Amino acid sequence: MSVHLGTRSGRVTRPTHRPGGDQVSVTPGDARARTMRAAIGVANDYVTLTKPRIISLLLLTCVATMFVADPGGPALSTILWTCLGGYLAAGGAGAINHYIERERDARMARTKGRPLASGRIEPARGLLFGTTLGVVAVAQLWIKVNGLTAALAAAGLLGYVFVYTLWLKPRTPQNIVLGGAAGAMPPLVGWAAATGGLTLDALWPFAIVFFWTPPHFWALSLLISDDYARTGVPMLPVVRGETTTRHQIVVYALLLVAITIGPVITGLLGAPYLIAALLLGAGFVGLSLVLLARPSRPAARRLYLSSLAYLALLFVAMALDRAL
């Protein structure tokens, strides 16, 4: 069956072939729609390189800390510029991480569909994209916020790429502990953006994220330890075993709860925050003890997902306490 070019109703159709041999008409509108879908797909892939789900939590800790540092509330423009620069810096680090780990990602079930691992984006373009985001982030924060904020954002990006991804991750099972400082930079960025400087109190939100990172990430690593073993990444469950990992999760959960009480002892935060920290901490430790006593994938997944809510709610409690 053939379909001929026609101009009925002003629409020009062009013949294309189906696998079975029949011809079907493709209008200019169809071609534009396909082009648009392809462009959206490419845009989505580049956004994926920035790891937006992770960044959303990092930005929350950054903004909440801004209100802890300045209870009266920073200017809206400061908050928006800081969020933009923070997203670009963290997104640049994420894109460069995708570039460095593209071959390893291609061998892992969880990550083989990533844009660089699957080949949808060329490696050189992914690296250029990440580097550009990082440079723009530092320049924008320097111009629109202040130099200290820009320097701290740059330190977080460089620490994540060079200290964690390139140096620690392939070499030691303590990679996520030692490299956790990079992920804990957003609160310092927020504090510096709100006040123009840093004080000893700024170390409390930094320390909370730092001690939260190991139990959070080790819960995830229990779920994908086979992938890490296959690709040779010395994550704790692979090197020391799952039992040791579960014990370490409990230890760090207890340390984390102790750290969350510190801001109350020094007078930075008060009773409303303390109540929230103790309740949230009890839930977090409880879930880690359940994972230790009754190990299972659902228990590890529950702890991993709950840890995300734990950190978000804890930082919201900090900001609300300072506002009261």
Side-chain angles (χ1 to χ4, degrees), residues 55-136:
I55 292 179
S56 63
L57 183 58
L58 297 179
L59 288 180
L60 187 150
T61 66
C62 177
V63 173
T65 303
M66 294 178 77
F67 284 90
V68 174
D70 181 5
L76 179 60
S77 60
T78 300
I79 295 173
L80 294 177
W81 284 119
T82 302
C83 286
L84 176 60
Y87 188 98
L88 294 176
I96 296 171
N97 173 268
H98 275 272
Y99 169 79
I100 294 170
E101 300 203 316
R102 65 192 185 280
E103 294 181 0
R104 184 183 297 121
D105 284 346
R107 301 196 299 272
M108 296 177 63
R110 185 177 70 96
T111 57
K112 64 183 180 181
R114 287 177 171 176
L116 292 183
S118 64
R120 295 195 305 276
I121 293 179
E122 295 178 9
R125 292 187 177 183
L127 178 60
L128 177 61
F129 176 69
T131 304
T132 302
L133 290 186
V135 171
V136 171

Side-chain angles (χ1 to χ4, degrees), residues 13-227:
T13 60
R14 302 181 186 278
T16 60
H17 294 270
R18 286 177 175 165
D22 290 342
Q23 289 183 324
V24 295
S25 61
V26 177
T27 68
D30 294 331
R32 285 193 296 270
R34 289 180 180 179
T35 301
M36 181 63 69
R37 286 194 296 269
I40 292 173
V42 172
N44 284 337
D45 279 341
Y46 276 100
V47 171
T48 298
L49 291 183
T50 67
K51 302 186 176 182
R53 287 183 294 181
I54 296 175
I55 292 179
S56 63
L57 183 58
L58 297 179
L59 288 180
L60 187 150
T61 66
C62 177
V63 173
T65 303
M66 294 178 77
F67 284 90
V68 174
D70 181 5
L76 179 60
S77 60
T78 300
I79 295 173
L80 294 177
W81 284 119
T82 302
C83 286
L84 176 60
Y87 188 98
L88 294 176
I96 296 171
N97 173 268
H98 275 272
Y99 169 79
I100 294 170
E101 300 203 316
R102 65 192 185 280
E103 294 181 0
R104 184 183 297 121
D105 284 346
R107 301 196 299 272
M108 296 177 63
R110 185 177 70 96
T111 57
K112 64 183 180 181
R114 287 177 171 176
L116 292 183
S118 64
R120 295 195 305 276
I121 293 179
E122 295 178 9
R125 292 187 177 183
L127 178 60
L128 177 61
F129 176 69
T131 304
T132 302
L133 290 186
V135 171
V136 171
V138 173
Q140 177 254 302
L141 289 171
W142 191 287
I143 295 169
K144 291 296 185 178
V145 187
N146 58 60
L148 179 58
T149 300
L152 290 169
L157 186 156
L158 295 174
Y160 182 71
V161 170
F162 291 100
V163 178
Y164 171 67
T165 304
L166 285 173
W167 181 35
L168 294 172
K169 186 173 182 179
R171 288 176 172 82
T172 171
Q174 293 299 311
N175 48 27
I176 201 62
V177 177
L178 301 174
M185 293 301 290
L188 295 183
V189 169
W191 195 290
T195 66
L198 293 176
T199 66
L200 288 177
D201 280 333
L203 295 177
W204 287 120
F206 170 86
I208 287 171
V209 178
F210 181 85
F211 280 93
W212 166 86
T213 301
H216 161 75
F217 201 86
W218 284 334
L220 173 63
S221 69
L222 287 171
L223 296 171
I224 57 175
S225 58
D226 289 345
D227 275 344

